[in-house]
């Protein structure tokens, strides 16, 4: 316990910005306002001191309680300078319910802001004419984030103690660009925290909130047999839609709008997935959703891509493209690495070349080459994989979703969800002064794409992102995983005798660690593509490819806030020589502040309010 004395002459005054130190070492300090009121009787000694303490700019840390680790999520509406306007808060499993208040720590992040070339050509995405129509012309502020402190809350408006460093935008899609979204998370602060014998999953991204989990521990974080899992919590896969057919066509589409379902022969592919450039009208339904005629998709009612062009094989930014008609597979999502391409279009299986057939090479040991004959010609028109991000520690991305496979006969297997793409992995950011772990894991893998029955399969979602900022050293007993999801397969057991496009594999995610920090194991591998299995002993990837491997590792240097958990202050006030003489000058008193169980340093302002008639 340390003691600091403030000596004031005569009967009052201010002791400002005094530094109080304790034996513990933390970085930074926070302002504490201490108001002391004194009552002095005529000719008598000091009778009493009343103390009131308030934290004006620092939140008191939460006690070590794993039940309190959930973030509270708010949709972002506007943000400029030190002002942020919030939309609705998120409810449900994995989401916190604590309202924001003055002193709280927040994490603000731009989820979608990329721009793309939206033409129905092989320049789609990055605007470069090439064999791979994918990517973006600019990521804008997609992935940009920062921690900030709340100074005050008035209704839905926050005032921050410091201005924003990035630009945050909330806007619906237009003809020129896709929807843009940002969100705000309340971050619980812990002086220390122990997580044991359980698992935590943040809520999935729903188009406005979720998908991100942030933790801040000023002291030691201990993990014992604990799992933090954001697998499939990222950008959503393209939701399968039963199309009318255009078999034997020769047109290749990269970006088209949803056409009328009334038997229109011009429907030209399957839905793209979701990523930093926007959201398709149809997304993969939540796990456990019952299939209706073989389809389990969520119709959002409107497209969040520029011009509503959210079908066919072009891959917008890190989202996988959809398969093109007829029955081509979806492309995998991207993040740290690019997603794989989807497999080829419909043809009839044959064990031999009956003339004009396409040879499909075996992709499992011991299997044989077979042939795709007739139909749509077994064309390589699968969805392209989502592009890889330029990785930097100043941006944090969700994994891109996998594109849907083109389908027109899903009702062959009406109770089995088919052809939708897998969701990408979420984003996890942990700041702690130190971390120890035993048999614990943090993972945010991409989901697998759904299988195709008689038709094409969905692609795997990309792995998400894990950032850990802590002291240098080896965190033995902690494993990290940002793997891409696998593409779905086609044919047996759902439907035999036809060649249909398997889904591409999702790309690997991103791992960020502080300089000098290592973990027991880390995994960042791309998902494998699905297989077409039209007959016993016949297996081919049919042109579908693996997601990119080797998740990039970036250096993340961000320190946890030194919040004021358990601070104990005792204040005493003594006069010299012990009693004040009315009207006499040169008398003094001493205020002593003893600090225990607090931070190393704190700036303390003392305002001593004296009765009328007393002067300094």
């Amino acid at each position: 316990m340390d003691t600091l004395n403030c000596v004031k002459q005569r009967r009052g005054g201010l002791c400002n910005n005094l530094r109080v130190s304790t034996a513990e070492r933390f970085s930074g300090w926070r302002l504490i306002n201490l108001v002391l009121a004194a009552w002095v009787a005529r000719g008598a000694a000091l009778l009493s001191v009343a103390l009131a303490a308030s934290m004006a700019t620092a939140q008191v840390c939460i006690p070590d309680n794993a039940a309190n680790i959930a973030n509270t999520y708010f949709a972002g509406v506007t943000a400029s300078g030190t002002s942020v306007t919030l939309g609705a808060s998120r409810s449900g499993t994995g989401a916190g319910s604590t309202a924001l208040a003055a002193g709280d720590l927040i994490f603000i992040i731009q989820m979608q802001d990329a721009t793309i070339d939206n033409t129905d050509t092989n320049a789609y995405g990055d605007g470069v004419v090439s064999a791979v129509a994918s990517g973006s012309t600019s990521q804008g502020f997609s992935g940009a984030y920062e921690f900030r402190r709340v100074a005050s809350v008035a209704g839905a408006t926050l005032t921050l103690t410091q201005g924003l460093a990035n630009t945050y935008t909330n806007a619906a899609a237009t003809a020129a660009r896709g929807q843009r979204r940002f969100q705000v998370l309340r971050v619980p602060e812990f002086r220390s925290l122990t997580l044991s014998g359980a698992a935590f999953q943040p809520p999935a991204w729903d188009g406005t909130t979720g998908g991100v989990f942030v933790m801040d521990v000023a002291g030691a974080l201990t993990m014992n047999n604990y799992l933090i899992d954001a697998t499939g919590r990222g950008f959503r896969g393209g939701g399968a839609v039963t199309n009318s057919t255009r078999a034997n066509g020769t047109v290749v589409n990269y970006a088209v709008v949803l056409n009328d379902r009334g038997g229109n022969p011009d429907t030209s592919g399957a839905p793209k997935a979701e990523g930093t450039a926007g959201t398709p009208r149809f997304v993969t339904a939540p796990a456990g959703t019952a299939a209706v005629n073989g389809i389990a998709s969520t119709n959002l009612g409107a497209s969040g891509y520029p011009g509503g062009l959210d079908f066919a094989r072009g891959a917008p930014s890190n989202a996988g493209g959809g398969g093109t008609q007829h029955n081509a597979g979806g492309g995998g999502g991207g993040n740290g690495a690019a997603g794989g391409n989807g497999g080829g279009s419909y043809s009839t299986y044959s064990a031999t070349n009956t003339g004009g057939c396409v040879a499909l090479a075996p992709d499992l040991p011991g299997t044989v080459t077979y042939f795709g004959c007739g139909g749509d010609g077994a064309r390589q028109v699968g969805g392209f994989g989502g592009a890889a991000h330029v990785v930097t520690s100043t941006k944090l991305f969700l994994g891109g979703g996998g594109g849907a496979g083109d389908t027109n006969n899903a009702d062959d297997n009406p109770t089995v969800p088919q052809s939708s793409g897998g969701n990408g992995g979420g984003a996890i950011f942990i700041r702690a002064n130190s971390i120890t772990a035993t048999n614990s894991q943090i993972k945010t893998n991409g989901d697998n794409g759904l299988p195709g029955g008689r038709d094409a399969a969905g692609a795997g979602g990309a792995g998400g992102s894990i950032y850990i900022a802590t002291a240098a050293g080896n965190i033995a007993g902690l494993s990290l995983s940002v793997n891409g999801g696998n593409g779905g397969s086609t044919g047996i057991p759902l439907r035999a005798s036809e060649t249909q496009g398997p889904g591409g594999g999702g790309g690997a995610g991103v791992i960020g660690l502080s300089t000098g920090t290592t973990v027991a194991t880390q995994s960042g591998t791309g998902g494998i593509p699905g297989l077409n299995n039209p007959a016993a002993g016949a297996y081919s990837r049919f042109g579908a490819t693996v997601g990119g491997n080797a998740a990039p590792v970036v250096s993340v240097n961000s320190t946890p806030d030194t919040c004021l958990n358990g601070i104990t202050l005792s204040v005493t006030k003594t006069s010299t020589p012990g009693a004040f003489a009315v009207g006499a000058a040169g008398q003094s008193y001493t205020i002593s502040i003893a600090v225990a169980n607090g931070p190393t340093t704190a700036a303390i302002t003392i305002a001593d309010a004296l009765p009328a008639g007393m002067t300094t």
Side-chain angles (χ1 to χ4, degrees):
M1 177 180 294
D2 292 340
T3 301
L4 179 145
N5 294 329
C6 169
V7 178
K8 294 303 296 184
Q9 295 298 312
R10 302 183 72 172
R11 299 175 185 82
L14 294 175
C15 295
N16 291 321
N17 295 329
L18 302 177
R19 186 170 291 274
V20 179
S21 297
T22 70
E24 296 181 77
R25 301 300 302 170
F26 290 88
S27 62
W29 52 270
R30 295 288 176 262
L31 180 64
I32 303 175
N33 293 324
L34 300 176
V35 181
L36 294 157
W39 293 265
V40 180
R42 179 181 296 270
L46 179 66
L47 298 180
S48 63
V49 176
L51 171 65
S54 64
M55 256 49 84
T57 59
Q59 177 193 16
V60 175
C61 288
I62 298 171
D64 184 350
N65 183 354
N68 290 330
I69 68 174
N71 302 122
T72 308
Y73 299 85
F74 302 87
V77 178
T78 62
S80 178
T82 60
S83 180
V84 179
T85 304
L86 304 177
S89 63
R90 180 77 173 267
S91 61
T93 303
S97 59
T98 304
L100 280 169
D104 280 353
L105 182 68
I106 65 169
F107 183 83
I108 182 170
I109 179 171
Q110 185 74 41
M111 307 300 294
Q112 297 171 304
D113 193 40
T115 54
I116 58 173
D117 181 304
N118 202 39
T119 58
D120 186 18
T121 70
N122 58 355
Y124 181 90
D126 61 10
V128 178
V129 177
S130 68
V132 181
S134 63
S136 64
T137 56
S138 171
Q139 280 295 325
F141 282 91
S142 299
Y145 67 87
E146 55 197 287
F147 290 89
R148 284 293 182 265
R149 183 74 60 182
V150 177
S152 63
V153 180
T157 300
L158 307 180
T159 298
L160 309 178
T161 61
Q162 181 182 1
L164 296 168
N166 303 305
T167 298
Y168 298 95
T169 305
N170 173 58
T174 67
R177 66 182 306 170
Q179 71 178 31
R180 292 173 281 173
R181 299 284 183 257
F182 75 94
Q183 64 173 321
V184 176
L185 284 66
R186 178 186 180 275
V187 182
E189 297 178 87
F190 298 88
R191 187 175 183 193
S192 62
L193 181 65
T194 298
L195 303 172
S196 299
F200 176 77
Q201 289 184 301
W205 168 251
D206 66 0
T208 56
T209 58
V212 180
F213 174 65
V214 184
M215 178 184 290
D216 191 90
V217 183
L221 170 63
T222 302
M223 298 176 65
N224 296 318
N225 299 298
Y226 199 81
L227 169 65
I228 299 175
D229 187 3
T231 294
R233 262 41 184 180
F235 287 128
R236 293 164 290 185
V241 173
T242 299
N243 287 335
S244 52
T245 65
R246 192 180 63 183
N248 301 308
T250 58
V251 175
V252 178
N253 289 109
Y254 300 90
V256 294
V257 298
L258 172 68
N259 288 314
D260 180 76
R261 283 289 161 267
N264 191 324
D266 295 325
T267 302
S268 303
K272 306 176 188 298
E274 182 179 43
T276 58
T279 300
R281 176 174 171 178
F282 294 91
V283 295
T284 299
T289 301
V292 177
N293 291 326
I295 299 295
S297 298
T298 299
N299 182 352
L300 300 177
S303 174
Y305 275 118
L309 279 68
D310 57 7
F311 278 64
R313 71 190 307 223
S317 187
N318 65 324
T324 296
Q325 284 270 358
H326 178 52
N327 296 160
N335 186 6
N341 295 338
S345 67
Y346 158 73
S347 60
T348 301
Y349 162 80
S350 177
T352 61
N353 189 348
T354 58
C357 302
V358 175
L360 302 178
D363 282 298
L364 281 184
T367 61
V368 298
T369 295
Y370 60 96
F371 299 86
C373 307
D376 193 56
R379 298 184 297 147
Q380 290 301 318
V381 290
F384 288 115
H389 287 123
V390 175
V391 176
T392 168
S393 63
T394 61
K395 290 194 171 186
L396 181 69
F397 295 104
L398 303 180
D406 182 71
T407 179
N408 62 294
N409 292 119
D411 55 0
D412 277 6
N413 302 279
T415 63
V416 181
Q418 299 162 59
S419 301
S420 292
N423 297 333
I428 297 170
F429 197 137
I430 294 176
R431 302 194 305 182
N433 187 56
S434 65
I435 300 176
T436 57
T438 303
N439 192 32
S440 294
Q441 186 177 12
I442 301 173
K443 67 178 182 179
T444 176
N445 302 322
D447 280 339
N448 296 336
L450 295 184
R454 185 173 166 183
D455 300 323
S465 302
I466 300 172
Y467 285 6
I468 297 178
T470 190
N474 180 42
I475 309 174
L478 179 62
S479 297
L480 309 180
S481 177
V482 291
N483 299 325
N486 297 333
S489 294
T490 63
I492 298 173
L494 296 182
R495 178 75 181 225
S497 77
E498 297 176 349
T499 64
Q500 317 282 3
V510 179
I511 292 173
L513 298 172
S514 296
T515 302
T517 300
T518 59
V519 295
T521 63
Q522 58 189 57
S523 177
T525 60
I528 60 174
L531 291 166
N532 174 235
N533 175 212
Y539 293 91
S540 177
R541 290 179 175 174
F542 198 0
T545 58
V546 298
N549 289 314
V553 177
V554 298
S555 180
V556 179
N557 294 306
S558 178
T559 57
D561 267 38
T562 306
C563 49
L564 304 179
N565 182 48
I567 187 168
T568 300
L569 298 176
S570 60
V571 180
T572 58
K573 185 175 182 180
T574 57
S575 61
T576 302
F580 289 124
V582 176
Q587 301 174 92
S588 67
Y589 62 81
T590 300
I591 299 174
S592 298
I593 305 173
V595 182
N597 301 322
T600 20
T601 60
I604 297 177
T605 298
I606 300 174
D608 193 9
L610 298 177
M614 302 193 73
T615 61
T616 59

